[in-house]
Amino acid sequence: WSITHELTSRNYHDEAITVWNELQISYPAHPIADKSALRIAQTWQQMGQPLRAVEAFLELNFARGGNDTELQNAIYQIAVSLKNEKRWIESLHVLQTFVDSFPSHANAGQSLTMIGQIHQANEVWEDAIAAYRKVLAIRPNLAGALLGLGHSLKTVGQQEEAIKAYRECIRVRPSN
């Protein structure tokens, strides 16, 4: 364990990950295995490797029983950061993984909405519509999804459906 601290202090992150992996393999029932898994995920994140970080956080979450909201929130935050950086493909991958892995998480609906927003930003209208409809099937009163659905439907010429979505948006979130 001390070797990994020395390695990371000298910016030998890949080598530290190798040692943490070895600790996990050699001592799977020891508490150091859990700490090693967490450090691997955090280090991938620090190194700018978000997909590897997500994979490591997912594995650790399920190793801990699948209900670690702190790890789940870390995955969600990675997805949000990727979206904000306009790293669309990576963000879509992490958001979809998040929704598939944690469908009842409080941010699952927002994740689906962000998937629609990404498709909308890239003018992939049918995928945006499908994403918005998917989130609205789960959370019918999500104003952001209704607004995005309305805009996407309007763009592809489905005016009547767009008007229905806009009206529903106004109903669930009346203006001041």
Side-chain angles (χ1 to χ4, degrees):
W1 187 255
S2 342
I3 292 170
T4 62
H5 289 294
E6 181 68 25
L7 290 168
T8 56
S9 72
R10 295 178 185 223
N11 290 324
Y12 292 115
H13 300 292
D14 290 323
E15 292 78 1
I17 288 171
T18 301
V19 175
W20 285 318
N21 276 323
E22 187 59 38
L23 289 170
Q24 287 180 287
I25 293 166
S26 299
Y27 306 102
H30 193 280
I32 205 165
D34 184 75
K35 290 179 184 177
S36 294
L38 181 59
R39 289 295 294 139
I40 289 169
Q42 292 168 335
T43 302
W44 283 126
Q45 194 171 10
Q46 291 167 356
M47 291 174 64
Q49 299 286 328
L51 297 181
R52 286 182 159 180
V54 166
E55 181 183 348
F57 280 127
L58 274 172
E59 287 179 13
L60 182 55
N61 177 69
F62 290 114
R64 290 182 177 178
N67 297 314
D68 191 316
T69 54
E70 188 175 315
L71 296 175
Q72 294 170 11
N73 289 337
I75 295 166
Y76 176 74
Q77 288 306 317
I78 290 170
V80 170
S81 294
L82 290 168
K83 180 184 178 283
N84 291 340
E85 294 171 22
K86 297 183 179 184
R87 292 170 67 176
W88 304 128
I89 302 299
E90 292 167 304
S91 182
L92 283 171
H93 177 72
V94 176
L95 287 165
Q96 193 61 57
T97 298
F98 180 82
V99 170
D100 292 344
S101 300
F102 316 113
S104 60
H105 191 281
N107 290 324
Q110 184 58 34
S111 296
L112 287 168
T113 300
M114 286 191 291
I115 290 171
Q117 291 167 345
I118 291 169
H119 288 310
Q120 197 171 344
N122 289 288
E123 299 181 0
V124 185
W125 303 111
E126 294 304 321
D127 289 349
I129 291 167
Y132 290 131
R133 285 192 169 142
K134 187 174 181 180
V135 69
L136 291 167
I138 305 166
R139 299 205 171 97
N141 294 327
L142 207 55
L146 287 163
L147 189 61
L149 177 63
H151 178 72
S152 298
L153 289 166
K154 183 179 101 182
T155 302
V156 297
Q158 296 181 24
Q159 306 304 331
E160 293 299 318
E161 291 298 313
I163 291 169
K164 288 179 190 176
Y166 287 138
R167 283 188 178 143
E168 186 62 16
C169 181
I170 291 168
R171 187 189 70 73
V172 300
R173 191 172 115 190
S175 61
N176 294 335

